[in-house]
């Protein structure tokens, strides 16, 4: 089976700062893959590399068997044109810490926008799907509300619906609950549980260890730009093998 995501020796630097130092990992189709670790360990940077929001400096990244951001001829890589990158990015949904909704659009319009503008979909088709997705995330009654009229948790659920509107084969979540008040976290995690049950392939950067334990199929602990430990979430969280993993988990569990 072709991995949904495959990283081979991925390096990323910003100037003199070496953020990713040779990441090797695979994410299988339908897998919920959780990335945990301290701030600054490279988790979010790696996530952004998967859909070429950041260019890698060395190594290879593949999504569903295809190189991300590049075309290979012989031994050389050639970066794809922006239009080609955008075309491939349509298959990858991303949900950020901050919701990044269009403030001048209603929840329904936010969810409809990308299929209309990027795919050229008819408004009626986009509207029907947007209404269905808002219902799926528990916000059918908020379709006409603007982001300023929604709580943080509601905005994040609209952001998830917006990502799903492009019918992606892979969903990336960059600490989707970190900006939320604690009482709002559960609603967002419930939506993500539902996606997992439906078989969506997901890579989740998270500090929600309960979610990783209950829903995750695989867990990677990253620190200082490298994979320190990986395995079944229950095994890693209850019986970590590496001292650095043990020290981190002692502070967050």
């Amino acid at each position: 089976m072709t991995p949904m995501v495959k990283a081979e020796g991925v390096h990323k630097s910003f100037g003199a700062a070496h953020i990713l130092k040779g990441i090797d990992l695979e994410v299988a189709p339908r897998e919920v893959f959780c990335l945990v670790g301290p701030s600054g360990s490279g988790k979010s940077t790696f996530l952004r590399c998967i859909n070429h929001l950041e260019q890698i400096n060395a190594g290879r990244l593949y999504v569903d068997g295809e190189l991300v951001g590049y075309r290979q001829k012989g031994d050389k890589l050639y970066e794809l044109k922006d239009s080609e990158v955008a075309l491939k990015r349509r298959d990858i949904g991303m949900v950020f810490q901050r919701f990044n909704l269009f403030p001048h659009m209603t929840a329904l319009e936010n969810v409809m926008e990308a299929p209309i503008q990027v795919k050229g979909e008819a408004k009626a088709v986009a509207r029907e799907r947007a209404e269905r997705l808002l219902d799926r995330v528990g916000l059918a009654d908020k379709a006409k509300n603007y982001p300023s009229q929604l709580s943080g948790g509601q905005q994040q659920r609209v952001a998830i619906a917006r990502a799903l509107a492009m019918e992606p084969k892979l969903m990336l979540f960059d600490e989707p609950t970190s900006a939320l008040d604690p009482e709002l976290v559960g609603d967002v995690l419930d939506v993500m549980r539902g996606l997992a049950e439906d078989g969506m392939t997901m890579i989740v950067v998270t500090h929600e260890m309960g979610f990783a334990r209950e829903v995750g199929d695989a867990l990677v602990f990253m620190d200082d730009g490298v994979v320190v430990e990986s395995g079944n979430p229950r095994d890693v969280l209850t019986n970590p093998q590496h001292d650095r993993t043990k020290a981190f988990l002692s502070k967050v569990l």
Side-chain angles (χ1 to χ4, degrees), residues 10 12 14 19-20 23 25 34-56 61 94-98 172-178 203-207 220 222-225:
V10 170
K12 173 63 183 175
F14 294 102
I19 306 301
L20 300 177
I23 301 296
L25 56 79
C34 296
L35 285 172
V36 304
S39 296
S41 58
K43 309 181 302 296
S44 294
T45 297
F46 178 68
L47 212 63
R48 291 172 64 84
C49 289
I50 292 172
N51 62 2
H52 207 59
L53 289 174
E54 300 289 355
Q55 298 171 315
I56 64 175
L61 255 176
M94 186 157 184
V95 179
F96 300 87
Q97 294 179 43
R98 296 287 172 181
L172 309 176
F173 293 87
D174 188 6
E175 299 191 32
T177 60
S178 65
I203 303 180
V204 186
V205 172
T206 185
H207 291 296
V220 158
M222 285 179 63
D223 187 35
D224 196 27

Side-chain angles (χ1 to χ4, degrees), residues 15-109:
H18 197 177
I19 306 301
L20 300 177
K21 303 173 182 176
I23 301 296
D24 294 291
L25 56 79
E26 289 189 11
V27 181
R30 302 177 67 88
E31 192 169 46
V32 179
F33 192 95
C34 296
L35 285 172
V36 304
S39 296
S41 58
K43 309 181 302 296
S44 294
T45 297
F46 178 68
L47 212 63
R48 291 172 64 84
C49 289
I50 292 172
N51 62 2
H52 207 59
L53 289 174
E54 300 289 355
Q55 298 171 315
I56 64 175
N57 300 115
R60 300 285 191 276
L61 255 176
Y62 300 88
V63 171
D64 203 14
E66 295 189 7
L67 268 175
V68 172
Y70 297 92
R71 179 184 295 109
Q72 184 162 346
K73 289 186 179 178
D75 294 332
K76 290 189 175 181
L77 290 182
Y78 298 89
E79 190 168 14
L80 298 177
K81 297 175 184 177
D82 289 347
S83 58
E84 294 174 293
V85 172
L87 198 63
K88 292 180 179 294
R89 199 178 280 146
R90 288 166 31 163
D91 292 330
I92 305 172
M94 186 157 184
V95 179
F96 300 87
Q97 294 179 43
R98 296 287 172 181
F99 329 117
N100 296 346
L101 299 177
F102 296 116
H104 61 290
M105 293 183 179
T106 64
L108 184 69
E109 290 165 344

Side-chain angles (χ1 to χ4, degrees), residues 121-133:
E121 222 169 58
K123 277 191 176 181
V125 175
R127 176 181 291 273
E128 188 277 330
R129 184 191 298 108
E131 289 173 344
R132 179 162 33 87
L133 287 170

Side-chain angles (χ1 to χ4, degrees), residues 209 244-253:
M209 299 302 163
R244 183 66 189 93
T245 317
K246 293 175 184 176
F248 173 75
L249 293 176
S250 71
K251 295 174 182 175
V252 299
L253 290 177

